[in-house]
Amino acid sequence: MEPIPLLTKSDFVAGRSCVRRMWLGRFRPELKTPLSAATRDRMRTGQAVQELARRRYPEGRMAWEPALSIDQAAAETRRLMEDGASCIFEATVVADGCMARIDVLSRGEGGGWSVEEIKSSTVKPLDKLGKQITDVSFQAHVAQKAGLNVEQAKLLLIDSSYRWHSGDYDPFGALKSVDVTAEWLDSRDEIAQAISHLRPHLSSAEEPQVETNTHCKDCDFHAYCHREQPEHDLVFLPRIKANQVEALRRQGYGTIDLLPHEIKMPKGVHRLSIEALRARNVVISGQPFVGDGLAEALARIEMPATFIDFESCQDGLPRYTGVPPYTQVCFQWSAHLIEDPEREARHLEFLHRELSDPREEFCRSLWEAVRDCRTIVHYASFEKTEVTKMAADGVPYADRLQQLLAERGLDLEQLVKEHVYFAGFKGRTGIKSVLPVLVPGLSYEGLSVGDGQAATAAFRELQAPGLPEKRRAELIEGLLRYCELDTLAMVEIYRALRRLTGS
Ligand code: SF4
């Protein structure tokens, strides 16, 4: 009989969210969606944080390298411990059917061991660090089962109050160690039970049968598991929760079009929201919802109006002096200005192409472009939030923009949410969900930069030293066309909404 494969931290984390995800990750990795530019970008940040963190431990010795098997890495870890190493990177331990490769295993003050995991997330209150605490708790559990006297479990996180001034990052200032020993000790029974539940799935040739639901949103196997997704899947109801989907399926209502007029929910499960019931009516009637207040809401967009959109990037390890980690740094805007809804829009844009902090030039140029407009239309709250943050940070011109948005800003997505629903929105009101339904002739297909995360990744690449001129030109063109399309899409959505009112 084949031995049961060892359960790793990646298996454990995946399995805790969905056992099918763990199984597919282990046995059918080829079904994963290919890594996006944004994911690769996040991985690079994680790698940079690992390298910085190791500088806090100059005495650290490495126990692992890609060519080593698990047994060899575990043997090397034991050898280093017997050799008196006080700090071991990638320490590999095997016990209880599990394998842990610990970021930093160091000798504690009491003679035992400290298990520390390095994370690229920021220091937060402990109740907001659940996923990270689960990670290190698994590692500490395996180390203890392997016979190590584990006296501490810690997380090494980015300190969001850190200000980088120049030169190399200070590993003692940029990173902060958080003791989560008490949380690990409290979770030991839960971890042991989860391991017992997950391990048998690793010895099974059968893909676990887990129904898709709202928890699938960010899963790497989304496309595979949803290959036969019904057109009117319940998860397309706005604001639907996983337990509501389960309750409806148990009652035999597998899709939106099957939902009756009167829906009873079991005790403890909330009734469907007004938005969900509205979406149900749209699907069943085949008629879109157009609220009576739409014309009045659109009349709030006074001419001349401008439609704006920002692109930004967040660096865990900042690239601009004085900017704290994970600050959203806006580097690009696009604006379409209209004097009359029926006349052609004028396009203006800004893209920061230097290596300096873009924010002052961003705000100044935007202020110049939109200051005379009577309505500033944005889609969702991002633009307003970022202008407010830049004003609080004292970025020149941001306070003027903040005041302008407070007096003349209008959120077009909110207007859509309140007044319009088509079955094709599939429960969402983001530009990319609404545009193909309201303006089918306009699409993001074929763009080299196709979403906000890709724009962030493109901007980071643009800032890399020594970038060949040809690639630089491609990136600039991709960024400009993407952001331009965002604001053109807003104008066309606005016009489509006007047509719905007969204007
Ligand atoms: S898509 Fe959903 S059901 Fe499929 S593996 Fe991912 S989380 Fe599990």
Side-chain angles (χ1 to χ4, degrees), residues 18 20-21 24 210-212 215-216 219 221-222 225-226:
C18 172
R20 187 179 184 189
R21 184 177 190 169
L24 288 169
V210 176
E211 283 197 329
T212 57
H215 68 275
C216 298
C219 179
F221 297 99
H222 191 283
C225 291
H226 291 78

Side-chain angles (χ1 to χ4, degrees), residues 313-372:
C313 70
Q314 273 185 309
D315 291 305
L317 295 173
R319 66 184 64 219
Y320 307 114
T321 53
V323 175
Y326 289 113
T327 299
Q328 287 281 7
V329 174
C330 294
F331 61 81
Q332 179 180 15
W333 59 257
S334 169
H336 271 86
L337 275 69
I338 51 174
E339 308 245 343
D340 177 324
E342 301 309 320
R343 287 182 34 206
E344 208 175 320
R346 188 158 62 93
H347 181 235
L348 298 171
E349 63 192 357
F350 166 83
L351 170 63
H352 189 73
R353 300 164 200 217
E354 318 304 324
L355 298 182
S356 52
D357 183 347
R359 295 177 301 164
E360 178 173 348
E361 196 50 25
F362 175 98
C363 289
R364 191 200 57 74
S365 57
L366 182 62
W367 161 254
E368 297 291 343
V370 304
R371 58 190 292 183
D372 296 327

